[in-house]
Amino acid sequence: MSETIGSYVNEAHGSVHSGTGPQFNLSFHLRAAEARLRERAGRRRLAIAKGDRVHLDQRFVAPPRLQRAREELRRSRTVLVDGLPGSGRRTAALMLLHELSESRGSLHELPDTADDRTASPLDTQDINDGDRLLLDLSEADESRYVAVQQVLSDFRSSLLGHDAHLAVVLPHHLGYLLQSDLRRFTVEIGRPSAKRVLARHLRCEDIVPSAEELSGRKLADYLSQAPLRDVAELADRIKHGRNTAGAEGGFSDWLSASLDRQEDQRARVAADTATEQGGRRRALMLSLAMFHGTTPGAVLQATNALLDVLSHPPDPAPRLDRADLHAEFGGIGAETGPDGRVRFRRTGYDSAVREHFWTFMPDIRRQLRDWFRACLAEPALTQPDRSQGVARFAEQSLRTGRPEDLAWLAQQWTQRGARAHLVADAAQALALGLDDDRHGRSFRQQIYEWAKSAETSTGLREVLIVVCSEAMARSHPDQALVRLHHLARRTQGPTGVRAREALSRLARSDHRLYRQMLDRLAAGITHKQWTADIDLFLAVTEPVWLVGSRRVRESLIVCWNAALRRPVDTWSSSVCQWLDACADHRHRGCVLEMLVAACAADSRVSGQLYRVALGWQRTDARQHTDAHQAEVREDIVRCLLRQINAAQGIEPYEHP
């Protein structure tokens, strides 16, 4: 399964580059990457966007002592939520904030990476009036946990001044490091009834089982030890069983089939691999487990690639003297279905095989990474097959503490000369890493480093734009904004255009993000680090958005001050848009004041601004016959001239 030279067209919906150079000019593959991440986001609702929170609230079962946490949050504006892993700490903290009034501010998660900040692990600039803030430290290391606690008191002071609320998810494994002065804000929640959680999820899907149907021993054993996220996934599998079974069967059948998928096959797999002495049979087992439900040819290619990566000696027997695939599949408990695809006969066996190899053969994990890279280089795999394969590999890499394997694959799949169909696979690999509870922070940090690096390939930049827009923006929009800003600053050509468009969409999606974007642009322009920030300012800003905020006006004036000192043709169209906004009397004075203040009493710049305004007025007079509109524009230009004169100390003549 080594990479081949030449062309292979599979599911092409647009122009196809079949040469050996960069192949990231295929918009179809970028759209496929976006679609794959959106499809994942629809199934995995862990973000704090309002729609996701409403969906979660409908299925939420209050854990023990949640009322105490609710009272503490309302009394002191801060609550530290502790609890055993799997008890739903993050969900409980999120729901506490969701219950609060939404009259002002927004609900957002505080950044968990340093990004462009070097001083404090918590930045008071992240607090706006009426905000509801979530800080998830559940997977923090010792140094970060201690550092956050050292500044939390000052952060809380700013919190109170803004009438904001903060819910912190504590790392239960670091309970011994909790400072004594913070214990009064801490509430340790219990684990809610898993049966009630399951019933609540099912009811939201219009599945209402009887008490007897939920009282079986097999279900009780499963619910007694499953994390709450697995209970929610069980409800999803039951729903899938209902939707696919049609009129056949009932709840007991759907439940039985769903639990069978969770049946522990580890012992059976361990026994089968112990008795199976042939390396080829083991390679066939793992290949089928990784590409479960694909065609016999795909499994055979993966098997041969695995044997090659592990330098396994070839079988010296002539091919016709060896068993065919039908017999080999039968020997490992698999069969080819009516659809022509191969599966293990036992439910859950494929998952157990993958887990067994990654757990008990740790010395070949790097080779397994190289093998998987070779497998996905084959364009014959369908998009669903590729997506499932990436998800299976990511599950094992993250479970065994090897997130770097996913990052490495994303780089390899997007380097110069890589096949374009790998774009969606690279995007999915990074999105899966971002979603992981343990390793999500390290992926956000890695993407930050890539976004800032001049060495990052064009292909990887394309993938980062998609991942930040479609995955990170759902759960950590602040950090997605920072990364897109760095990409937009550093990237030229069509990729740069896409980065700027993605940044503009994200910044305009939320008033808080818009303010943050203006702050970043003003800071960059003030320090004269990036001339691209002026172009970004002209592309992102809206004339009347939040102009009532002093902070916003100050940022706008700083940015316009730099923009107006560039050649006129770079900013004239933007000024015309701002003058258009002055047709609304409510904004006219404020908008014109900002433009004039940006001139800083510079007569040359003021004169250029006035000439552009006169051209705007004359163009409208030539194109339109509406007398009222012409009069409005004349009045706007007259007001602008008065303010320019006043800024330069020119007194108007007194008329008798």
Side-chain angles (χ1 to χ4, degrees):
M1 276 184 77
S2 59
E3 294 191 36
T4 58
I5 299 175
S7 307
Y8 187 99
V9 180
N10 181 40
E11 297 181 315
H13 290 69
S15 60
V16 176
H17 175 103
S18 58
T20 58
Q23 301 186 32
F24 292 96
N25 57 335
L26 301 183
S27 59
F28 163 69
H29 293 287
L30 292 175
R31 291 197 300 271
E34 293 172 353
R36 195 182 292 189
L37 297 195
R38 287 171 185 164
E39 191 270 337
R40 285 194 65 260
R43 289 184 282 113
R44 182 179 175 87
R45 295 179 177 270
L46 291 182
I48 59 176
K50 185 173 181 180
D52 292 346
R53 286 188 277 116
V54 170
H55 178 274
L56 186 58
D57 185 42
Q58 293 169 346
R59 292 156 176 78
F60 179 62
V61 174
R65 295 181 290 282
L66 184 71
Q67 182 58 32
R68 284 179 49 193
R70 186 179 289 122
E71 293 169 356
E72 184 62 43
L73 180 61
R74 295 184 183 278
R75 179 172 58 252
S76 61
R77 307 297 177 88
T78 300
V79 64
L80 311 183
V81 181
D82 198 3
L84 291 171
S87 61
R89 291 167 295 171
R90 178 184 168 91
T91 299
L94 186 55
M95 289 297 98
L96 288 171
L97 296 172
H98 177 69
E99 294 172 355
L100 298 175
S101 170
E102 298 188 22
S103 58
R104 292 188 304 154
S106 64
L107 194 161
H108 60 277
E109 185 165 0
L110 292 173
D112 59 357
T113 53
D115 292 357
D116 298 335
R117 304 162 184 165
T118 57
S120 173
L122 294 177
D123 191 344
T124 55
Q125 291 294 317
D126 290 322
I127 309 175
N128 297 293
D129 291 346
D131 275 355
R132 293 155 293 153
L133 307 173
L134 176 67
L135 177 60
D136 191 347
L137 299 174
S138 58
E139 298 296 332
D141 56 26
E142 294 183 1
S143 60
R144 172 166 168 76
Y145 187 39
V146 171
V148 168
Q149 291 183 76
Q150 289 173 346
V151 300
L152 191 56
S153 177
D154 291 339
F155 190 78
R156 285 195 65 250
S157 298
S158 297
L159 197 77
L160 297 174
H162 285 280
D163 191 25
H165 294 78
L166 171 68
V168 183
V169 184
L170 296 181
H172 189 74
H173 62 291
L174 299 179
Y176 63 94
L177 292 176
L178 181 63
Q179 296 177 3
S180 57
D181 60 319
L182 296 176
R183 295 188 184 280
R184 62 192 178 97
F185 304 115
T186 303
V187 176
E188 182 170 352
I189 65 168
R191 173 183 162 92
S193 166
K195 183 183 290 188
R196 288 185 58 202
V197 171
L198 177 63
R200 184 73 173 265
H201 277 74
L202 293 174
R203 193 178 307 117
C204 290
E205 304 298 342
D206 295 324
I207 301 175
V208 186
S210 65
E212 183 179 354
E213 288 175 317
L214 289 175
S215 61
R217 170 52 56 186
K218 191 174 182 179
L219 177 61
D221 291 342
Y222 174 76
L223 295 178
S224 65
Q225 56 185 356
L228 293 182
R229 69 173 68 90
D230 290 352
V231 176
E233 290 176 2
L234 175 61
D236 287 339
R237 289 196 299 275
I238 293 173
K239 179 186 72 172
H240 178 73
R242 185 227 18 216
N243 294 343
T244 56
E248 299 179 3
F251 178 79
S252 297
D253 300 303
W254 310 332
L255 175 62
S256 178
S258 300
L259 288 175
D260 284 344
R261 291 187 59 186
Q262 288 291 317
E263 184 178 345
D264 192 353
Q265 297 282 354
R266 297 189 189 100
R268 184 180 297 277
V269 169
D272 290 345
T273 53
T275 57
E276 182 53 68
Q277 299 300 318
R280 178 176 175 81
R281 293 279 286 273
R282 291 180 177 178
L284 190 66
M285 287 177 63
L286 180 55
S287 298
L288 177 55
M290 185 60 66
F291 298 99
H292 201 241
T294 60
T295 63
V299 177
L300 176 62
Q301 285 183 318
T303 301
N304 291 336
L306 180 55
L307 292 172
D308 184 58
V309 165
L310 295 175
S311 301
H312 195 276
D315 189 340
R319 180 65 187 93
L320 294 180
D321 288 344
R322 288 179 267 146
D324 62 15
L325 277 178
H326 183 273
E328 287 190 290
F329 288 146
I332 61 172
E335 61 186 3
T336 304
D339 59 356
R341 293 177 171 264
V342 191
R343 299 174 181 85
F344 287 111
R345 296 189 186 97
R346 293 185 177 275
T347 302
Y349 193 86
D350 61 310
S351 176
V353 169
R354 296 191 295 271
E355 185 173 330
H356 180 88
F357 275 83
W358 257 268
T359 300
F360 298 109
M361 292 188 179
D363 52 320
I364 66 167
R365 288 174 184 165
R366 184 182 64 79
Q367 290 92 326
L368 292 179
R369 178 203 68 186
D370 296 342
W371 164 65
F372 189 69
R373 176 199 177 196
C375 289
L376 263 68
E378 293 295 329
L381 288 170
T382 67
Q383 282 290 339
D385 292 340
R386 306 175 70 82
S387 178
Q388 291 175 358
V390 172
R392 291 162 183 160
F393 181 86
E395 178 184 26
Q396 298 307 317
S397 297
L398 296 170
R399 182 183 65 82
T400 55
R402 291 183 61 90
E404 65 275 10
D405 285 350
L406 291 179
W408 182 85
L409 284 173
Q411 285 183 295
Q412 295 299 309
W413 287 338
T414 54
Q415 64 185 355
R416 183 178 179 85
R419 292 183 181 272
H421 68 258
L422 293 166
V423 167
D425 303 322
Q428 183 187 355
L430 293 179
L432 288 166
L434 288 170
D435 280 346
D436 187 72
D437 292 337
R438 285 195 302 157
H439 303 295
R441 182 171 180 262
S442 68
F443 276 91
R444 286 188 287 277
Q445 189 65 47
Q446 177 62 76
I447 292 174
Y448 174 73
E449 300 299 335
W450 280 333
K452 289 183 62 179
S453 173
E455 304 300 318
T456 303
S457 69
T458 301
L460 184 54
R461 290 175 188 272
E462 291 278 16
V463 166
L464 295 182
I465 294 167
V466 173
V467 169
C468 290
S469 303
E470 302 296 339
M472 195 187 300
R474 286 177 57 84
S475 56
H476 296 80
D478 303 70
Q479 291 165 288
L481 186 83
V482 170
R483 285 144 185 78
L484 286 172
H485 188 193
H486 282 296
L487 289 167
R489 280 171 164 174
R490 292 167 168 81
T491 310
Q492 305 300 320
T495 305
V497 172
R498 280 188 278 272
R500 290 188 287 275
E501 289 174 347
L503 176 64
S504 181
R505 284 195 303 271
L506 181 57
R508 294 181 180 187
S509 68
D510 181 86
H511 285 173
R512 181 180 61 83
L513 296 176
Y514 182 72
R515 284 192 295 267
Q516 182 180 340
M517 186 74 252
L518 289 180
D519 289 344
R520 290 183 58 81
L521 291 171
I525 289 172
T526 299
H527 293 95
K528 299 181 179 179
Q529 295 173 315
W530 297 95
T531 57
D533 277 345
I534 300 177
D535 295 323
L536 290 172
F537 160 71
L538 295 174
V540 169
T541 51
E542 292 285 346
V544 299
W545 267 26
L546 306 179
V547 291
S549 165
R550 181 176 60 84
R551 173 178 158 189
V552 167
R553 291 197 301 273
E554 290 173 351
S555 295
L556 289 171
I557 291 171
V558 168
C559 295
W560 266 121
N561 181 273
L564 292 173
R565 280 152 180 79
R566 300 178 76 193
V568 174
D569 59 353
T570 64
W571 52 260
S572 58
S573 61
S574 296
V575 164
C576 291
Q577 292 175 9
W578 281 54
L579 293 175
D580 287 337
C582 293
D584 189 332
H585 280 277
R586 296 173 299 173
H587 307 302
R588 181 178 302 177
C590 188
V591 170
L592 294 180
E593 285 174 11
M594 283 189 291
L595 288 173
V596 172
C599 295
D602 186 318
S603 59
R604 182 186 65 85
V605 176
S606 299
Q608 290 176 328
L609 175 63
Y610 182 60
R611 282 194 293 274
V612 168
L614 285 175
W616 167 77
Q617 177 187 347
R618 292 167 185 153
T619 299
D620 182 74
R622 289 194 300 268
Q623 294 178 348
H624 303 283
T625 58
D626 187 333
H628 174 70
Q629 185 173 354
E631 187 177 323
V632 168
R633 289 204 169 200
E634 182 180 356
D635 186 53
I636 291 171
V637 174
R638 192 162 45 243
C639 290
L640 175 64
L641 180 60
R642 280 201 302 268
Q643 294 202 27
I644 290 175
N645 288 338
Q648 296 182 4
I650 301 174
E651 297 292 336
Y653 289 109
E654 294 290 340
H655 294 282

